Amino acid sequence: MYADDPADLVMERMSAAIYKGSSLARPILGKKSTLEKMTGQWLKEYKQSHYTPDRVVVSLAGSFEDAFVEELMERFAAMEPGHLKPGKPAVYHPAMTLKRKATEQNHLLLTFPSISDTDPRRFPMQLLSSILGGGMSSRLFQRIREEMGAAYSVYSFPSTYTNCGTFTVYAGTSPETAQKVADELHHQIRLLCENGVTQEEFDMAKEQLKVSYVLGLESSSARMSAIGRSKLLRGHAVDPQDVIRKIEAVTKEDVERVAHRMFGRPFSASAVGRNIDGLKLM
């Protein structure tokens, strides 16, 4: 079923190509060959070797009593000590991947090497994504979907990991307009690098990011996840007010510097769909 979803397939093929040789290249669900080898004993050994105290963070958010926290601490303190050897660091390699598939739409990706999850430039990066392809007011949506009517879905998003990251632009379009859309994706990226961002769209993106972040914290599960992720990756629990201050401190020039650095480096492309052999993505 996963392989039959071209929007997921084009992204999975991209990760496999650019991170070849590392764990980030592996499909999340695994492969038939790896799944068939799994047994109950194999899963038990994997749990014992990977789920060790030094790799576990317990995060809570909501209404709970101290007694509940103490019980959790007691239970997790019983875990057997251990230390998993660090895996091979993922390294970005520019790549091109095409997959012919009889789909109604062609699915296109342009992926650029970006920054890690701990890089302070992640806030300018988020604003850049919002301006370029982060919603209905973004440049890509307004130009390619609204003005050209050439794509049903078009957006951008950053993906950050412990030691690397990517910035991806996606479009789902008909085979007949695929080349036109691919050309326009490149054109919009060039325009942003050459002319920068306007003060109006920068201010709008900053307010949208702050509002989205604050609203997201109204959910206890979202706050729990944010605390756990920050503690695991950065060594400390996230402070919402600190995040807001860092967003407010970003300047228009910060966003433009990130764009120039990222879009000026070798990028990768991936496509899944019909009649893609002659498609020019690079």
Side-chain angles (χ1 to χ4, degrees), residues 1-11 101 103 107 170 272:
M1 290 172 62
Y2 186 85
D4 283 339
D5 188 332
D8 286 340
L9 183 61
V10 70
M11 295 183 188
K101 196 172 182 67
T103 57
H107 300 262
Y170 165 84
V272 170

Side-chain angles (χ1 to χ4, degrees), residues 11-274:
M11 295 183 188
E12 186 174 273
R13 287 177 57 83
M14 175 66 85
S15 295
I18 63 178
Y19 291 128
K20 187 175 182 180
S22 73
S23 58
L24 286 180
R26 301 172 189 162
I28 294 175
L29 291 177
K31 301 177 180 179
K32 183 179 179 181
S33 58
T34 58
L35 292 170
E36 286 178 337
K37 297 177 182 178
M38 292 184 184
T39 63
Q41 182 61 31
W42 185 94
L43 287 173
K44 182 178 179 181
E45 292 173 356
Y46 183 91
K47 172 183 173 294
Q48 291 175 339
S49 63
H50 287 71
Y51 291 78
T52 56
D54 58 300
R55 294 167 57 85
V56 173
V57 168
V58 180
S59 175
L60 293 84
S63 177
F64 52 86
E65 299 177 356
D66 291 342
F68 182 57
V69 178
E70 292 172 2
E71 182 182 349
L72 274 176
M73 292 174 62
E74 183 179 347
R75 288 177 178 269
F76 278 88
M79 291 180 66
E80 295 182 8
H83 183 71
L84 182 69
K85 293 181 180 180
K88 182 179 178 181
V91 178
Y92 177 96
H93 299 284
M96 174 77 174
T97 170
L98 300 175
K99 173 70 173 179
R100 289 189 296 272
K101 196 172 182 67
T103 57
E104 183 178 345
Q105 287 190 324
N106 281 6
H107 300 262
L108 317 177
L109 283 187
L110 301 178
T111 298
F112 300 81
S114 184
I115 58 178
S116 71
D117 188 76
T118 56
D119 195 307
R121 292 171 296 177
R122 65 185 182 276
F123 297 106
M125 179 71 65
Q126 289 175 321
L127 290 174
L128 172 63
S129 181
S130 179
I131 292 168
L132 182 63
M136 292 187 291
S137 61
S138 67
R139 293 189 180 191
L140 294 180
F141 190 95
Q142 287 297 314
R143 173 58 180 157
I144 296 178
R145 173 165 169 155
E146 296 299 290
E147 295 179 19
M148 296 172 58
Y152 177 74
S153 180
V154 58
Y155 55 86
S156 64
F157 61 94
S159 300
T160 55
Y161 305 101
T162 53
N163 70 319
C164 61
T166 56
F167 185 94
T168 299
V169 178
Y170 165 84
T173 181
S174 69
E176 293 74 26
T177 58
Q179 188 61 60
K180 184 188 298 184
V181 168
D183 293 342
E184 190 61 30
L185 292 177
H186 285 293
H187 179 61
Q188 290 300 318
I189 290 172
R190 284 195 299 270
L191 283 179
L192 193 149
C193 289
E194 293 172 0
N195 303 330
V197 301
T198 68
Q199 190 65 45
E200 180 182 3
E201 63 185 353
F202 171 75
D203 292 340
M204 182 184 299
K206 181 180 283 191
E207 289 306 309
Q208 287 177 341
L209 181 58
K210 289 192 294 184
V211 170
S212 175
Y213 176 72
V214 172
L215 289 178
L217 292 179
E218 291 185 354
S219 162
S220 294
S221 61
R223 183 164 293 219
M224 173 197 67
S225 297
I227 292 172
R229 178 182 175 86
S230 181
K231 179 66 176 177
L232 187 66
L233 298 181
R234 304 182 190 112
H236 59 84
V238 63
D239 179 356
Q241 291 303 315
D242 185 50
V243 172
I244 294 297
R245 285 192 294 269
K246 288 179 178 178
I247 295 174
E248 290 177 340
V250 177
T251 66
K252 189 165 73 74
E253 290 72 26
D254 291 334
V255 175
E256 292 170 346
R257 276 193 292 270
V258 167
H260 277 102
R261 180 181 182 276
M262 183 176 64
F263 293 137
R265 300 168 68 185
F267 66 95
S268 302
S270 180
V272 170
R274 294 185 285 125

